[in-house]
């Protein structure tokens, strides 16, 4: 519907010799304002210096009204469109013929996009913020691939530097306790039962070799064993969460292959590296950053930013048209320096999009849950998956825009009721599936004249899904699909309780089965995009 309207508006602009601007179409919040609306007249008025309502009248005068029940101008110049029922029924017929292909168009046309997400330091279990980022990244990859983009997903492993050294030191201290030696754990070290578990594994494997070794002597082994074990656990947690990556990139490898050093040399040749106070600095202020950034400290050690620049150079050289980084909200201050580095290396800053994910506030019956037995300071993604399942966790993570706060009540998520959003949506799909176990459908036989007002509203809702999907792709926001699915499921459940789908009236039955089939197709496709199962029974 929205593509059809956009084409009609584009034709109108050509006939009027108006500027060919990008046409925005939206769903009015108040259904009294029609099925679709556009602010195009107000946009064009900025170019032509004409009153928007006059422009709106000009546009309306050129549009063939054959498929529109009504076209109205509202407010300062919005144009509201209401489609005729015959057009609605013909679109429903197309949906039933094309099935899920009806909902998408190839807008990506093979453009290459890389999405880097999660990328948690392999120094401890994944927390809920990582899980929310994982759900977002995987769903975003799904919808972009469905829209015709060539998508590559990637996890960047921070397996070099101070954090993994602190992991090794934390395990060393725990190991000394197993040897009967008491050592004080430095404040910045990692805590939690998982550290003791790592120490016990190492003790069982290497106790005779490590008993009298200092950290300088044993550190490399402890670091290597510990971070690899944690990384394997992270991989398993993500796999069980239904999130897989096309590529895993090691920070260590960037150093071992000389890529970090070559990147610094390239920036130096471009004039963006200088020395000051014994350190090497990247001239990020040349690209809008508030200050220049150290990449090699005065003691000769590299900052994390140095390897991050090399990693983004590596991405650029792989020929992606767009880079999407999904980070925790605490990385907000890092955005400008990374964009500066990307620009210095020859990529437009508009080609990199950084999505910040807010943390999750976990509740149980409305009360905060803060502690984990295993991690010590936070509830792990694994604990949540084990208690309520991957589908429920993923769906709820996607019920809010990524940069807004999310409250997640475990007990509500376990309920089989309207309060639990994923159950409510999945149950709508299963409920329709149970109808089709008892009845066949013939899409050629439905009669539009038999649809009542409530049914036409549901059909229109189904026909709006391609627009919701398209907006999710354009805005890089999968949560729009989650909102839509909840609304469609609520409409269907209400309908199901009010009307009997299968009855003695064969024509009415066939018509209502077609309605149910269309709803089922939209629910199934939306859930698939979110990486959530569409169960046949519940």
């Amino acid at each position: 519907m929205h593509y059809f309207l956009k084409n009609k508006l584009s034709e109108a602009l050509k006939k009027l010799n108006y500027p060919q601007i990008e046409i925005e179409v939206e769903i009015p919040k108040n259904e009294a304002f029609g099925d679709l609306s556009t602010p195009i007249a107000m946009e064009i008025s900025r170019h032509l210096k004409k009153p928007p309502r006059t422009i709106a009248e000009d546009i309306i005068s050129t549009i063939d009204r054959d498929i529109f029940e009504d076209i109205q101008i509202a407010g300062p110049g919005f144009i509201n469109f209401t489609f005729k029922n015959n057009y609605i029924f013909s679109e429903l017929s197309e949906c039933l013929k094309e099935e899920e292909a009806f909902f998408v168009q190839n807008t990506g046309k093979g453009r290459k996009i890389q999405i880097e997400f999660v990328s948690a330091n392999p120094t401890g279990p994944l927390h809920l913020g990582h899980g929310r980022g994982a759900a977002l990244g995987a769903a975003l990859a799904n919808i972009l691939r469905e829209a015709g983009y060539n998508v590559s997903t990637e996890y960047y492993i921070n397996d070099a530097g101070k954090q993994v050294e602190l992991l090794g030191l934390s395990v060393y201290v725990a190991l000394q306790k197993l040897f009967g030696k008491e050592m004080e754990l430095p404040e910045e070290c990692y805590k939690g039962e998982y550290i003791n578990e790592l120490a016990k594994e190492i003790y069982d494997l290497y106790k005779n070799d490590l008993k009298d070794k200092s950290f300088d002597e044993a550190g490399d082994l402890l670091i290597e064993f510990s971070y690899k074990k944690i990384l394997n656990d992270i991989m398993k947690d993500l796999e069980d969460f239904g999130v897989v990556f096309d590529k895993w990139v090691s920070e260590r490898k960037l150093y071992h292959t000389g890529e970090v050093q070559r990147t610094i040399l390239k920036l130096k040749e471009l004039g963006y590296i200088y020395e000051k106070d014994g350190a090497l600095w990247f001239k990020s202020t040349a690209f809008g950053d508030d200050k220049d950034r150290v990449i090699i400290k005065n003691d000769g050690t590299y900052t994390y930013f140095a390897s991050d620049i090399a990693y983004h150079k590596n991405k650029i050289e792989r020929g992606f048209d767009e880079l999407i980084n999904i980070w925790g909200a605490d990385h907000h201050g890092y955005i400008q320096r990374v964009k500066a580095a990307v620009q210095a290396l020859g990529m437009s800053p508009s080609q990199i999009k950084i999505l910040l994910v807010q943390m999750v506030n976990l509740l149980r019956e409305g009360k905060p849950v803060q502690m984990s037995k295993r991690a010590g300071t936070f509830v792990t993604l694994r604990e949540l998956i084990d208690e309520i399942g991957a589908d429920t966790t993923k769906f709820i993570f996607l019920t809010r825009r990524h940069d807004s706060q999310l409250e997640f009540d475990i007990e509500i998520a376990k309920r089989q009721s309207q309060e639990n959003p994923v159950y409510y949506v999945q149950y709508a799909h299963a409920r329709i599936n149970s109808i089709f176990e008892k009845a066949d459908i013939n899409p050629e036989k439905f009669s539009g004249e038999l649809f009542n007002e409530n049914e036409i509203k549901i059909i229109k809702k189904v026909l709006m899904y391609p627009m919701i999907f398209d907006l999710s792709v354009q805005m890089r926001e999968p949560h729009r699909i989650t909102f839509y699915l909840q609304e469609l499921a609520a409409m269907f459940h209400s309908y199901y309780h009010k009307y009997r789908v299968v009855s003695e009236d064969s024509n009415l039955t066939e018509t209502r089965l077609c309605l149910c089939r269309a709803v089922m197709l939209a629910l199934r496709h939306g859930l698939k995009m979110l990486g959530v199962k569409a169960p046949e029974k519940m």
Side-chain angles (χ1 to χ4, degrees):
M1 287 171 68
H2 74 296
Y3 282 121
F4 178 86
L5 181 56
K6 281 186 173 185
N7 287 336
K8 286 288 183 186
L9 291 168
S10 180
E11 289 170 9
L13 297 186
K14 286 177 185 173
K15 286 178 186 175
L16 295 163
N17 288 319
Y18 279 172
Q20 292 294 306
I21 64 168
E22 187 173 345
I23 297 169
E24 183 183 340
V25 172
E26 56 194 44
I27 302 169
K29 291 180 181 177
N30 186 339
E31 63 182 42
F33 294 146
D35 299 322
L36 292 175
S37 179
T38 179
I40 188 172
M42 291 176 284
E43 288 294 320
I44 290 176
S45 71
R46 296 191 183 102
H47 295 271
L48 301 183
K49 309 301 182 188
K50 280 176 69 175
R53 289 185 70 92
T54 302
I55 292 170
E57 288 167 2
D58 291 344
I59 291 171
I60 290 172
S61 70
T62 67
I63 292 179
D64 188 339
R65 290 179 178 246
D66 283 355
I67 67 160
F68 295 109
E69 188 68 35
D70 193 20
I71 306 176
Q72 295 285 342
I73 302 171
F78 284 96
I79 310 175
N80 299 329
F81 298 85
T82 303
F83 291 90
K84 286 183 176 177
N85 284 348
N86 285 343
Y87 174 76
I88 297 300
F89 302 149
S90 68
E91 285 291 282
L92 173 61
S93 180
E94 287 300 306
C95 175
L96 295 171
K97 285 177 191 172
E98 296 180 23
E99 298 195 332
E100 292 182 14
F102 176 82
F103 300 129
V104 299
Q105 286 202 13
N106 182 1
T107 54
K109 303 188 186 305
R111 288 183 71 242
K112 290 181 68 178
I113 294 183
Q114 192 243 30
I115 309 176
E116 184 235 317
F117 59 108
V118 185
S119 298
N121 291 338
T123 54
L126 296 176
H127 57 57
L128 302 189
H130 297 136
R132 192 178 182 189
L136 172 63
L140 191 52
N142 289 340
I143 65 173
L144 290 173
R145 284 185 180 122
E146 189 78 350
Y149 290 88
N150 180 357
V151 179
S152 177
T153 57
E154 197 152 303
Y155 188 116
Y156 178 49
I157 309 164
N158 296 113
D159 51 3
K162 187 177 181 182
Q163 298 305 313
V164 289
E165 289 180 15
L166 288 173
L167 172 67
L169 181 59
S170 305
V171 173
Y172 179 78
V173 172
L175 186 62
Q176 297 314 299
K177 290 182 181 177
L178 296 176
F179 288 131
K181 303 174 185 175
E182 286 296 325
M183 282 186 68
E184 187 175 340
L185 184 69
E187 181 63 33
E188 68 269 31
C189 281
Y190 297 99
K191 304 168 183 68
E193 186 56 35
Y194 76 97
I195 296 294
N196 295 327
E197 291 169 6
L198 286 167
K200 182 66 170 64
E201 284 190 58
I202 292 170
Y203 178 83
D204 291 340
L205 287 169
Y206 301 105
K207 58 185 173 185
N208 294 329
D209 297 329
L210 298 178
K211 186 174 182 181
D212 297 314
K213 295 280 180 71
S214 66
F215 181 65
D216 286 343
E217 296 170 307
D220 287 347
L221 186 151
L222 298 179
I223 291 169
E224 191 82 9
F225 181 95
S226 300
Y227 98 77
K228 285 186 175 178
K229 177 68 169 60
I230 289 174
L231 187 60
N232 284 334
D233 288 346
I234 286 172
M235 289 178 172
K236 180 67 168 64
D237 288 351
L238 290 169
E239 183 182 334
D240 291 347
F241 197 44
V243 176
V244 294
F245 290 88
D246 298 315
K247 192 176 179 69
W248 296 70
V249 174
S250 162
E251 182 185 5
R252 282 188 174 196
K253 191 174 179 181
L254 294 176
Y255 282 104
H256 292 162
T257 60
E259 193 144 6
V260 176
Q261 296 85 342
R262 286 194 298 274
T263 301
I264 293 171
L265 184 60
K266 178 178 175 64
L267 289 172
K268 194 170 186 179
E269 290 169 353
L270 291 168
Y272 298 128
I273 297 291
Y274 66 91
E275 189 173 344
K276 176 186 167 186
D277 299 330
L280 276 188
W281 297 69
F282 168 58
K283 199 183 293 183
S284 54
T285 51
F287 305 96
D289 197 5
D290 59 345
K291 60 182 178 180
D292 292 340
R293 306 291 174 174
V294 176
I295 54 172
I296 301 181
K297 301 176 188 175
N298 54 18
D299 62 1
T301 59
Y302 291 85
T303 64
Y304 282 111
F305 186 41
S307 51
D308 283 344
I309 298 174
Y311 177 43
H312 282 83
K313 175 175 173 287
N314 178 283
K315 292 184 187 187
I316 292 167
E317 289 172 348
R318 281 185 267 155
F320 294 108
D321 299 299
E322 181 181 349
L323 305 176
I324 300 176
N325 292 351
I326 298 176
W327 296 343
D330 56 337
H331 284 68
H332 182 272
Y334 214 69
I335 294 175
Q336 191 54 51
R337 72 188 73 172
V338 168
K339 288 200 167 194
V342 165
Q343 194 171 356
L345 292 166
M347 194 177 210
S348 167
S350 64
Q351 290 174 272
I352 180 167
K353 188 175 182 68
I354 295 171
L355 306 180
L356 297 180
V357 177
Q358 287 287 345
M359 286 292 290
V360 180
N361 297 320
L362 196 63
L363 310 173
R364 194 182 291 276
E365 295 288 11
K367 296 179 181 176
V369 179
Q370 296 175 332
M371 296 299 288
S372 159
K373 290 181 181 177
R374 188 157 190 267
T377 55
F378 56 84
V379 176
T380 67
L381 176 62
R382 166 57 63 184
E383 288 169 308
L384 196 56
I385 293 172
D386 287 347
E387 183 161 0
I388 65 172
D391 275 356
T392 302
T393 303
K394 208 180 298 182
F395 191 97
I396 295 176
F397 279 155
L398 293 168
T399 55
R400 293 286 181 277
R401 184 184 154 97
H402 57 84
D403 56 359
S404 63
Q405 289 287 336
L406 174 66
E407 289 196 339
F408 192 133
D409 196 305
I410 296 174
E411 294 307 316
I412 290 176
K414 288 158 74 172
R415 289 176 194 154
Q416 295 187 351
S417 71
Q418 184 177 346
E419 291 178 280
N420 179 349
V422 64
Y423 174 82
Y424 204 50
V425 173
Q426 288 181 317
Y427 186 47
H429 183 274
R431 176 170 263 171
I432 297 172
N433 187 72
S434 70
I435 294 172
F436 287 117
E437 287 181 348
K438 301 168 189 170
D440 292 324
I441 180 174
N442 186 346
E444 302 297 327
K445 284 191 174 182
F446 83 83
S447 171
E449 289 73 23
L450 296 177
F451 284 126
N452 61 43
E453 188 178 334
N454 283 346
E455 289 166 332
I456 291 171
K457 284 181 181 179
I458 294 174
I459 295 167
K460 286 183 176 182
K461 189 70 175 178
V462 171
L463 298 180
M464 292 299 173
Y465 177 58
M467 182 175 175
I468 299 299
F469 177 80
D470 195 39
L471 283 169
S472 295
V473 171
Q474 288 178 35
M475 305 302 292
R476 312 303 194 234
E477 292 178 347
H479 75 276
R480 290 172 181 266
I481 294 175
T482 317
F483 286 175
Y484 170 86
L485 293 177
Q486 292 176 87
E487 291 170 353
L488 180 61
M491 289 177 77
F492 177 76
H493 285 303
S494 176
Y495 170 77
Y496 181 84
H497 290 303
K498 192 171 182 179
Y499 300 98
R500 190 176 170 192
V501 175
V502 180
S503 68
E504 292 74 22
D505 186 332
S506 60
N507 289 332
L508 184 60
T509 296
E510 199 69 59
T511 297
R512 288 181 172 174
L513 286 173
C514 288
L515 167 69
C516 290
R517 176 65 176 163
V519 172
M520 188 181 190
L521 289 170
L523 290 172
R524 182 187 300 167
H525 187 270
L527 287 169
K528 183 171 72 174
M529 293 300 97
L530 301 179
V532 175
K533 296 182 186 70
E536 295 183 356
K537 296 181 187 296
M538 286 183 76

